Amino acid sequence: MIDLRSDTVTKPTEAMRRAMAEAEVGDDVYGEDPTVNRLEELAAEMLGKEAGLLVTSGTQGNQVALLTHCRPGTEVILERESHIFCYEAGAAAALAGVQLCALPGRRGTLSGDQVAAAVREDDIHAPPTALVCLENTHNRAGGAVIPLAAMEEVYQVAAGRGIPVHLDGARLFNAAVASKIPAREYAARADTVQICLSKGLGAPVGSVLVGPAPWIAEARRWRKRLGGGMRQAGVIAAPGIIALQEMVDRLAEDHQNARYLAERLAELPGFLLDPAEVETNIVVAEFTLFPVEELVASLEARGVRIIAFGQGKVRLTTHKDVSRQDIEKALQIIKSVATS
Ligand code: TLP
């Protein structure tokens, strides 16, 4: 099976499995797991922040961030296609009790002017604007890299009004590798950042939330409330350390494979996409010949997994467990299904 549904399907490497087996552990709720502490320090250091917090998933990281930054009845400005808005099961409303102000971005990018116009007046009728959320790379925008300059613009607008910025950096290292700009430069344009260890970086579980030390202390309390206080979590943190130390640079290979896949796909009948827009490991294409659900099912039956992505589109994601050879094979199968 060639699984292009997501980079979340990646399996831990041999080195990760060994590190899990050998991890030095303690009770992390007491702050006594040395491996978790090392991972949190490493992530904070790589992103230029004071402290880190291991969380169970990207969703938990983003939701802990909303809960820590906001109070119920306040408003969060974000992009209309962002993960927090589209894919977190309404958690922002269900848990933090915040209202979301979703703005249409240009391939995921919001401008400073858009954000400035969306910030609420200090008026008794209005929900106070409590937070701006950005996402880099932007999943629904096809893995687009949000330019550093755009992040800077938004950060300045927010900072000028005393509003913090949270970055959903589930795939921030993809942005860093593609743009050759260090992840900490992007992180410097946000107050808090969530990074995923379990996507292209290949770790089996976990994300790290980073930010100022007092803020992380409060986030730790929210993680506990959500049932995310874990015990001998060093077995999860150990492969996370390998993810950050050894798996970042190789993301370039996934990006080359995605671009190649996009170029070949664009030559096939029925697939509409601009390969030049594929900057990282996600390829989103419109398919026009028959319903995408049929395409997905036929491919599945022939050993290729992709996902329907709404509005007649499909998403194909490259990662460490698909080689160039797998991509070639997948393309042959896609061609035979699309032209049958
Ligand atoms: N995205 C998953 C699905 O939930 C759609 C995927 O397959 O791409 N932020 C961004 C930008 C994400 O893409 C994801 C996962 C998350 C947060 C949430 O991470 P998890 O799945 O660990 O909760």
Side-chain angles (χ1 to χ4, degrees):
M1 190 60 85
I2 301 169
D3 198 341
L4 299 168
R5 286 174 302 171
S6 181
D7 46 11
T8 58
V9 303
T10 43
K11 307 253 169 67
T13 62
E14 280 308 313
M16 287 178 177
R17 290 175 188 271
R18 260 199 315 278
M20 292 174 83
E22 292 164 8
E24 200 187 336
V25 295
D27 190 328
D28 182 49
V29 175
Y30 290 116
E32 289 172 4
D33 189 303
T35 311
V36 171
N37 294 342
R38 210 145 45 83
L39 170 65
E40 292 178 344
E41 281 160 25
L42 173 66
E45 202 266 319
M46 285 173 81
L47 296 168
K49 300 295 183 201
E50 277 176 9
L53 178 70
L54 173 65
V55 289
T56 57
S57 65
T59 301
Q60 190 180 62
N62 286 335
Q63 293 306 319
V64 165
L66 295 185
L67 286 157
T68 310
H69 280 297
C70 311
R71 292 163 60 122
T74 59
E75 190 168 63
V76 176
I77 297 172
L78 39 57
E79 204 277 327
R80 197 164 64 183
E81 299 288 324
S82 64
H83 196 277
I84 294 174
F85 190 58
C86 299
Y87 291 134
E88 299 193 4
L95 304 177
V98 292
Q99 176 167 303
L100 298 177
C101 172
L103 305 174
R106 277 174 137 231
R107 299 195 65 235
T109 295
L110 295 177
S111 71
D113 287 347
Q114 269 181 300
V115 172
V119 173
R120 301 285 183 173
E121 301 284 321
D122 182 12
D123 180 319
I124 194 170
H125 301 90
T129 304
L131 182 67
V132 177
C133 289
L134 301 176
E135 181 178 313
N136 204 1
T137 62
H138 194 291
N139 183 352
R140 282 198 58 80
V145 176
I146 306 303
L148 191 66
M151 285 193 61
E152 171 70 16
E153 213 181 283
V154 170
Y155 188 55
Q156 288 307 329
V157 164
R161 290 158 179 76
I163 301 166
V165 174
H166 171 68
L167 173 61
D168 176 355
R171 297 186 181 84
L172 184 61
F173 289 104
N174 292 86
V177 166
S179 63
K180 300 189 168 63
I181 295 172
R184 60 161 54 218
E185 287 295 321
Y186 291 104
R189 275 75 187 177
D191 297 279
T192 60
V193 185
Q194 180 276 121
I195 52 159
C196 286
L197 306 167
S198 68
K199 305 219 158 38
L201 300 183
V205 187
S207 285
V208 187
L209 189 56
V210 299
W215 187 91
I216 288 291
E218 197 47 36
R220 196 173 286 279
R221 196 184 299 274
W222 273 113
R223 185 190 66 171
K224 190 77 183 80
R225 289 189 183 111
L226 296 179
M230 296 176 283
R231 301 298 180 174
Q232 287 72 36
V235 293
I236 291 171
I241 291 171
I242 293 177
L244 292 179
Q245 286 181 332
E246 295 175 20
M247 304 298 283
V248 171
D249 293 343
R250 66 149 306 287
L251 293 172
E253 200 183 307
D254 301 342
H255 300 172
Q256 284 154 15
N257 281 340
R259 177 64 74 91
Y260 178 78
L261 174 62
E263 282 166 356
R264 296 286 86 78
L265 216 51
E267 294 165 1
L268 298 183
F271 285 94
L272 300 179
L273 71 155
D274 179 357
E277 285 188 348
V278 176
E279 297 172 88
T280 60
N281 67 327
I282 295 177
V283 179
V284 175
E286 202 178 322
F287 183 67
T288 56
L289 298 185
F290 45 85
V292 289
E293 291 69 24
E294 268 175 47
L295 175 69
V296 171
S298 303
L299 289 175
E300 167 91 30
R302 288 167 177 78
V304 176
R305 287 190 167 144
I306 68 170
I307 57 170
F309 216 44
Q311 297 157 339
K313 292 181 183 166
V314 288
R315 187 186 78 169
L316 300 86
T317 307
T318 59
H319 52 78
K320 74 170 186 63
D321 295 340
V322 286
S323 63
R324 179 60 70 97
Q325 225 179 347
D326 292 329
I327 301 281
E328 296 282 11
K329 200 166 155 204
L331 278 162
Q332 273 174 19
I333 295 169
I334 294 169
K335 187 176 178 183
S336 73
V337 167
T339 53
S340 63

